[in-house]
């Protein structure tokens, strides 16, 4: 099944208004490479200014609350993100699973809320180094997929991102074979859980994706895009990743 690749940037807790100048080069690269989808997920406060500066670019958020509204100080609902102009939202990033103790059930509730507000949910999964060393990576990750995705999601509503925790921000990546094996296992789990929608759901790889390894990783079977942290902060680093995705599309 042909799936359009999605090259998404996660700015994490980085960036400011001045950094939005980087978006122009990214928008230009997106226009020059129409075979791939491109998105940037800046901090909450930059969503509306990013949308205003670059209306043609898909802007996303990095988290949402699972409830629509209420007494949840400091949290943001999916509808608020949508009103700010976001088109997608990352949920269940490993940094939130670790720092904010987010469980699979909570991540699933957030994905349901995101989809309910009309956003695309990018659900993140990934094993720790200890889990990989123990030979548990595939069991852990497929378990996270089962527990974190909404059972009735469609391929238009849901993206899964495989991000091995030990590869995030470290410059280390799994081997191409390990990525292929994991993405095949995730695909099988999506087919089992979502039925007919499973083959069309995009599975991104994330963890130290850089200009020099993007093309190789994006060429792997069932790798339908990349979720990029550090290298998404500048057009100079992110544009070659977009081009790498287009080259193998
Ligand atoms: P790096 O690309 O900086 O390793 O981050 C990956 C990531 O966590 C994206 O969500």
């Amino acid at each position: 099944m042909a799936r359009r690749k999605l090259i998404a940037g996660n700015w994490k807790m980085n960036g400011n208004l001045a950094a939005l100048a980087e978006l122009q080069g990214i928008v230009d690269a997106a226009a020059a490479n129409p075979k791939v989808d491109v998105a940037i997920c800046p901090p909450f406060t930059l969503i509306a200014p990013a949308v205003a500066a670059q209306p043609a670019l898909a802007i996303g958020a990095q988290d949402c609350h699972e409830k629509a509204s209420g007494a949840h100080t400091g949290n943001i609902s999916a509808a608020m993100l949508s009103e700010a102009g976001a088109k997608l939202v990352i949920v269940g990033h490993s940094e939130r699973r670790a720092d904010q103790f987010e469980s699979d059930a909570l991540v699933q509730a957030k994905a349901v809320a995101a989809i309910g507000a009309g956003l695309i949910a990018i659900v993140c999964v990934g094993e720790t180094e200890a889990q990989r060393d123990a030979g548990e990576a595939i069991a852990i990750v497929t378990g996270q997929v089962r527990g974190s995705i909404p059972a009735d999601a469609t391929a238009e509503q849901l993206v899964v991102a495989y991000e091995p925790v030990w590869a995030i921000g470290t410059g280390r990546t799994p081997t191409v074979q390990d990525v292929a094996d994991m993405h095949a296992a995730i695909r099988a789990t999506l087919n089992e859980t979502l039925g007919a929608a499973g083959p069309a759901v995009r599975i991104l790889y994330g963890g130290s994706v850089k200009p020099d390894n993007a093309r190789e990783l994006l060429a792997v079977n069932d790798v339908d895009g990349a979720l990029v942290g550090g290298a998404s902060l500048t057009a100079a680093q992110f544009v070659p990743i977009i081009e790498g995705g287009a080259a193998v599309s």
Side-chain angles (χ1 to χ4, degrees):
M1 147 119 19
R3 291 172 294 265
R4 277 175 69 80
K5 291 200 194 298
L6 169 62
I7 312 297
N10 172 11
W11 280 13
K12 307 191 179 183
M13 200 169 71
N14 297 294
N16 54 20
L17 287 171
L20 295 182
E22 295 295 327
L23 298 182
Q24 187 61 54
I26 294 169
V27 167
D28 293 345
N33 294 280
K35 280 189 193 161
V36 299
D37 293 333
V38 176
I40 290 286
C41 302
F44 291 135
T45 51
L46 294 178
I47 292 173
V51 171
Q54 299 292 352
L57 182 63
I59 299 295
Q62 301 169 18
D63 180 48
C64 67
H65 196 270
E66 68 278 17
K67 298 259 171 61
S69 63
H72 304 288
T73 302
N75 282 301
I76 304 258
S77 75
M80 292 169 184
L81 297 173
S82 175
E83 191 176 46
K87 297 282 183 267
L88 30 106
V89 59
I90 297 167
V91 292
H93 192 283
S94 62
E95 287 151 15
R96 293 198 61 87
R97 289 178 184 261
D99 298 350
Q100 274 78 33
F101 311 106
E102 295 193 359
S103 65
D104 287 341
L106 179 61
V107 173
Q108 185 183 51
K110 290 181 174 206
V112 168
I115 291 168
L119 301 174
I120 297 169
I122 303 181
V123 175
C124 299
V125 294
E127 81 286 0
T128 64
E129 185 157 36
Q131 288 164 337
R132 176 157 288 270
D133 289 347
E136 297 166 354
I138 286 190
I140 292 283
V141 169
T142 53
Q144 288 175 335
V145 171
R146 268 188 214 98
S148 305
I149 64 168
D152 55 355
T154 68
E156 288 72 40
Q157 298 169 326
L158 176 71
V159 174
V160 173
Y162 167 55
E163 299 203 304
V165 176
W166 53 271
I168 294 175
T170 60
R172 297 165 58 205
T173 56
T175 64
V176 161
Q177 190 58 53
D178 284 340
V179 172
D181 291 348
M182 184 62 81
H183 280 238
I186 294 171
R187 175 71 59 208
T189 306
L190 292 175
N191 292 348
E192 207 182 284
T193 314
L194 300 177
V201 171
R202 291 181 285 189
I203 308 172
L204 313 185
Y205 168 78
S208 295
V209 176
K210 304 289 176 197
D212 63 356
N213 63 15
R215 192 170 163 157
E216 184 184 36
L217 289 163
L218 287 162
V220 175
N221 204 26
D222 275 313
V223 174
D224 307 312
L227 186 54
V228 183
S232 72
L233 294 171
T234 62
Q237 292 257 302
F238 196 54
V239 167
I241 298 174
I242 295 170
E243 291 168 347
V248 295
S249 290

